[in-house]
């Protein structure tokens, strides 16, 4: 399913606040925080294979077991209602609370490491429902930047190159649902209407000015300070520029590769190429 806005679910702020207050006491996994610069990316399983909260690494669950609410999920009655109202539970693999702030996520594709999981059990569709968000939080898919608003239900095509940025210390909390691609009657979600076409409303798109030549030249000068020690800091600057300016297709990885070729540290270019393969092309299951 392509990235698209589907519907808006009215949220009861009092009940939501009560559940999120309880959830703040849970133990969160920091799995996948290596995708962030800043971080961490914290998640808590509310629905999973075998009802097991697990370690948050999607390849580490027992896929032969039926999914169910986890111990943490059963403590959050309002979020249980939202999940049940929105998703086809017969095809729901995982439901997570995901929290992050003041960070950028490296442009990447998801699902690459799930190839060994049987097709009927493998997550193939992702739904995002922002529960707490703000104007300083952005998503991008290739060279399109947009926002999701509180209570909106979005299909999110995680198989395409995407990134996320938060320019605030205020937490962004999303409910993330992963569903299997199993033929069955009825839609994957029970609210709104989805299609196979990308549908990002104009009011959610972020208009960015073209990257000025002065900004581009300033980025080129980062090659002078780029080493393995400063790699993350430089890459973070490049990714942040992507969310503020339109630098063209494949801006973040293209720019980082150009800087790696020009810098004095010979270890940087091989590392950049290795990371790009991991995030975009091939990734073994994390253990």
């Amino acid at each position: 399913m392509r990235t698209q806005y589907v519907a808006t679910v009215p949220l009861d702020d009092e009940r939501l606040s009560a559940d999120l207050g309880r959830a703040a006491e849970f133990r969160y996994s920091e799995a996948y925080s290596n995708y962030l610069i800043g971080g961490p990316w914290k998640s808590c399983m509310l629905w999973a294979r075998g009802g097991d909260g697990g370690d948050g690494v999607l390849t580490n669950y027992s896929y032969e077991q039926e999914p169910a609410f986890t111990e943490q999920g059963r403590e959050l009655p309002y979020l249980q209602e939202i999940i049940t109202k929105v998703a086809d539970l017969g095809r729901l693999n995982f439901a997570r609370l995901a929290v992050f702030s003041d960070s950028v996520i490296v442009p990447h594709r998801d699902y690459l490491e799930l190839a060994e999981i049987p097709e009927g059990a493998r997550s193939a569709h992702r739904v995002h429902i922002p529960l707490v968000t703000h104007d300083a939080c952005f998503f991008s898919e290739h060279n399109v930047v947009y926002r999701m608003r509180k209570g909106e239900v979005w299909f999110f095509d995680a198989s395409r190159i995407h990134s996320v940025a938060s320019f605030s210390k205020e937490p962004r909390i999303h409910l993330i649902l992963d569903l299997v691609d199993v033929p069955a009657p009825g839609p994957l979600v029970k609210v709104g209407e989805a299609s196979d076409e990308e549908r990002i409303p104009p009011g959610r798109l972020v208009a960015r000015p073209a990257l000025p030549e002065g900004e581009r030249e300033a980025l080129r000068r980062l090659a002078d300070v780029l080493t393995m020690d400063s790699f993350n800091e430089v890459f973070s600057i490049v990714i942040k520029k992507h969310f503020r300016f339109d630098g063209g297709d494949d801006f973040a990885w293209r720019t980082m590769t150009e800087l790696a070729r020009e810098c004095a540290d010979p270890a940087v270019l091989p590392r950049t190429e290795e990371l790009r393969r991991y995030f975009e092309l091939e990734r073994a299951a994390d253990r």
Side-chain angles (χ1 to χ4, degrees), residues 186-215:
L188 286 161
V189 296
K190 297 181 285 188
V191 294
E193 294 185 7
S195 75
D196 291 327
E197 298 180 0
E198 186 171 88
R199 297 190 305 193
I200 299 177
R204 300 296 176 263
L205 293 170
V206 176
R208 298 167 296 150
L211 183 69
E213 186 53 39
E215 293 278 350

Side-chain angles (χ1 to χ4, degrees), residues 7-283:
T8 297
V9 177
L11 297 177
D12 183 321
D13 286 336
E14 184 175 351
R15 296 184 67 199
L16 176 61
S17 179
D19 270 17
L20 293 182
R22 178 71 187 98
E25 301 173 1
F26 294 165
R27 180 182 177 185
Y28 281 69
S29 166
E30 295 187 4
Y32 305 108
S33 288
N34 60 314
Y35 289 55
L36 272 69
I37 303 175
W41 192 88
K42 301 192 298 182
S43 66
C44 177
M45 282 291 183
L46 307 183
W47 170 281
R49 288 282 172 167
D52 178 13
D55 63 2
V57 178
L58 298 184
T59 51
N60 288 350
Y61 288 81
S62 298
Y63 281 81
E64 69 277 5
Q65 299 187 51
E66 291 298 315
F69 281 108
T70 65
E71 179 181 352
Q72 292 83 0
R74 291 193 297 272
E75 293 188 39
L76 307 175
Y78 185 52
L79 294 187
Q80 283 189 56
E81 284 185 23
I82 294 173
I83 292 167
T84 302
K85 176 180 179 179
V86 171
D88 176 358
L89 297 186
R91 285 180 281 181
L92 182 63
N93 242 2
F94 298 101
R96 295 173 280 176
L97 274 182
V99 183
F100 97 114
S101 61
D102 198 22
S103 307
V104 294
I105 296 182
V106 173
H108 68 283
R109 301 179 194 270
D110 289 323
Y111 304 141
L112 296 177
E113 67 275 26
L114 304 183
E116 295 182 6
I117 296 170
E119 186 174 359
R122 184 191 315 152
S123 296
H125 302 286
R126 180 161 293 167
V127 171
H128 274 247
I129 306 173
L131 303 176
V132 176
T133 191
H134 46 75
D135 282 348
C137 186
F138 303 90
F139 285 80
S140 74
E141 184 173 299
H142 291 289
N143 196 32
V144 175
V145 175
Y146 62 99
R147 295 185 180 95
M148 299 181 189
R149 300 297 190 186
K150 179 178 175 179
E152 294 181 342
V153 179
W154 285 74
F155 270 113
F156 182 72
D157 190 348
S159 68
R160 305 184 80 195
I161 303 295
H162 62 276
S163 180
V164 188
S166 171
F167 292 97
S168 171
K169 295 186 183 299
E170 293 296 316
R172 184 221 73 173
I173 305 175
H174 278 210
L175 185 59
I176 301 178
L177 313 177
D178 284 350
L179 299 105
V180 297
D181 192 19
V182 176
L188 286 161
V189 296
K190 297 181 285 188
V191 294
E193 294 185 7
S195 75
D196 291 327
E197 298 180 0
E198 186 171 88
R199 297 190 305 193
I200 299 177
R204 300 296 176 263
L205 293 170
V206 176
R208 298 167 296 150
L211 183 69
E213 186 53 39
E215 293 278 350
R216 197 180 296 274
E217 181 56 35
L219 287 174
R220 293 191 189 105
R221 291 197 294 271
L222 289 175
D224 296 338
V225 297
L226 176 57
T227 65
M228 290 299 295
D229 292 335
S230 63
F231 186 96
N232 281 354
E233 290 82 358
V234 170
F235 202 7
S236 176
I237 291 170
V238 172
I239 295 170
K240 288 175 180 177
K241 289 294 182 185
H242 160 69
F243 284 97
R244 296 302 194 188
F245 296 99
D246 183 352
D249 292 339
D250 193 31
F251 172 75
W253 281 110
R254 173 168 46 83
T255 301
M256 198 63 191
T257 302
E258 291 170 358
L259 294 176
R261 290 194 178 109
E262 295 297 323
C263 78
D265 188 338
V268 170
L269 181 58
R271 180 57 174 163
T272 303
E273 294 172 338
E274 176 189 21
L275 286 175
R276 185 164 194 175
R277 283 194 300 273
Y278 176 85
F279 285 115
E280 291 193 350
L281 297 176
E282 53 186 1
R283 183 165 60 245

